[in-house]
Amino acid sequence: MSAQPSALMARSHGLRRRRAVNRGMEWMAWLAALIAVAILGVVVWSVARRGASELNLNLLTKSPVPFAPPNVTQGLANAFAGTLVIVGLATAMALPIGILVALYLNEFAPPSIKNGVSLTLDVLNGIPAVVIGIFVFGLLVVGHGQSGMAGAFALAVLMLPLVSRSTMEVLALVPNSLREASLGLGVPRWRTTLSIVLPQTLGGIVTGTVLAVARVAGETAPLLFTSSIVANATSWNPGHALQTVPVAIFELSESPDPADHARAWAAALVLLLFIMFASLGARWLATRTRRKLGAAR
Amino acid sequence: MIDGARPSISKFGLGFLAHDVWNPVLNQFGAASFLFGTALTSLVALALAAPLSMGIALFLTELAPKWIQAPVTALVETLAAIPSVVIGLWGILVLGPVLRNDIEPGLHSALGWIPLFGQPQTGSNMFTAVIVLTIMILPIVSSISRELFLGVPNELKEGALGLGVTRWEMVRGVMFPYARGGVAAAMILGLGRAVGEAIAVTQVIGGFVGIQWNLFNAGDTLASRIAAEYQGAVSNLQVASLIYLALILLVFSLIVNIVAQVIVRRVARKQGLTR
């Protein structure tokens, strides 16, 4: 570090040129931020403009009709039902396990295990969704056929690291004095964790879960192999393959028919609205939890 | 997964990686053209996203007025929350035609002597995939870099500024060296994300088996080929070969993520000590 300022001084000749370079770079940084915001604006605007005209109750209540004549109104009822079932099941699988993993790592595990397992969780989080899809395909689909259950399991694998990592983050914010006070009163470790530590983190766990749900509700790749060969009738039975909103968008986007594109845009708008509200809501909740835990310290 | 890929592994062995044929009719499968497509699209996307995300991170930490910082940070993170299938939908129906009609002919006539910018072919091509990937890795790389830049101690920054250097010279001489390892990890994570992205790429890339450098032609990546053939696999060998592709992807992403995470942890520990 000590050598650098002098190296800088040696390079610095011509104040005007240096100022010009500085200004140029500052403009570039402004431009880069502007580009990112503009991209978001353009994508959201495209989806909103194209999706809004097609957005009506039929989308949610009517089933798709293969080779439909133009006067038949179609919807994606099967996809919305399937997404509800599959994401619901995935949450039911990932949430308890995720929280237990986080509790174990943060409250009970020795540091070496804690570091090792959280590294594993982070790496699991980085594995491409399509690979998870193939993995579950090999595990559950080969020999048994596709099912909503298999799809839910694939999404649960994606959710697990998200839920445990966010739970661990809030657990780390719970003040140690609370734990010590409880233990000092002779309350056993498990009781302390369950009735003192866990209630403090409720807000954070909800935030993490909402974010994880928002993330997996839009996932397509893990479902292509596990729950994509589907009927057009609406079904709530996870024993069969169920259509989902992302898979429906994926298939409709590859169709040559503009009417299919219109439905894809409308479904994309519903999905996008859900995800944005969920993430904004979760963000608001997160700042509240953080403030509360910060104040308790 | 190794078990599922076994028929393909035993038939093609490691030669699978070097073979650029993918012909379900003749039962000939090889990964080389997809490896090539993956490397080409991800690296170009990273080359585009890297300077942009550095710019965003610097803007958010050094330049932006207080009232802009929070909303822009939130917006950049919202960009990461958009599902890939929606970005792909936008890519195939909006971005693809615009690039094909307005941008690519211009790039071709200006830079046609570089093999990457050949004759524009279809609306669905590797260039569209590159742009889509750039959009998808931008938020990750910039938000990690932003946190790293925030971790640079104020004394170092003020010390440099106090010596009379300009803000950019301070960034280049103090912040970049300080955050170097972490930024490298952020880039690696971005690359891993680009390599593993299946859906959006499948939607826009067109699908083409073979090795060719023209970005304005259709292509394929490992992930996009897997996603494209999800229902169409006819023989056991084809399914096994798809699983083999996924296995390559898995090994690659494991390596990338472990390396990046270890670097991130080391940087975090270092910053924790100096603070």
Side-chain angles (χ1 to χ4, degrees), chain A residues 72-146:
Chain A
V72 175
T73 49
Q74 303 189 58
L76 289 169
N78 58 346
F80 285 100
T83 286
L84 278 182
V85 171
I86 291 184
V87 173
L89 279 173
T91 314
M93 285 188 245
L95 192 56
I97 302 180
I99 293 176
L100 284 177
V101 168
L103 277 179
Y104 169 69
L105 290 180
N106 212 66
E107 306 293 319
F108 300 103
S112 60
I113 293 186
K114 183 181 173 185
N115 288 338
V117 178
S118 50
L119 177 68
T120 314
L121 285 174
D122 285 345
V123 171
L124 180 64
N125 190 25
I127 290 180
V130 71
V131 174
I132 305 276
I134 289 272
F135 163 70
V136 175
F137 172 81
L139 195 70
L140 295 179
V141 176
V142 172
H144 305 280
Q146 296 192 339

Side-chain angles (χ1 to χ4, degrees), chain A residues 58 62-65 68-75 263:
Chain A
N58 286 333
K62 292 262 176 28
S63 291
V65 185
N71 54 357
V72 175
T73 49
Q74 303 189 58
R263 278 189 298 150

Side-chain angles (χ1 to χ4, degrees), chain A residues 170-275:
Chain A
V170 265
L171 280 177
L173 288 178
V174 175
N176 257 333
S177 49
L178 277 182
R179 293 191 186 93
E180 284 154 8
S182 166
L183 291 173
L185 287 172
V187 181
R189 195 82 177 270
W190 66 271
R191 203 61 217 272
T192 305
T193 305
L194 210 62
S195 17
I196 305 291
V197 179
L198 204 55
Q200 291 286 322
T201 60
L202 213 58
I205 292 175
V206 172
T207 309
T209 310
V210 171
L211 282 180
V213 166
R215 157 93 195 275
V216 299
E219 278 293 345
T220 318
L223 297 172
L224 280 179
F225 299 92
T226 50
S227 180
S228 67
I229 303 172
V230 294
N232 286 312
T234 303
S235 161
W236 300 89
N237 178 1
H240 305 293
L242 298 173
Q243 179 67 304
T244 51
V245 177
V247 173
I249 298 173
F250 177 68
E251 285 168 350
L252 292 173
S253 78
E254 308 235 299
S255 146
D257 184 358
D260 285 348
H261 292 169
R263 278 189 298 150
W265 285 115
L269 179 58
V270 175
L271 191 61
L272 203 58
L273 283 177
F274 167 72
I275 288 172

Side-chain angles (χ1 to χ4, degrees), chain B residues 181 184-186 188-189 254-265:
Chain B
I188 298 173
L189 283 177
L254 280 180
I255 295 172
V256 157
N257 278 288
I258 291 173
V259 168
Q261 294 295 349
V262 167
I263 298 179
V264 167
R265 264 144 228 266

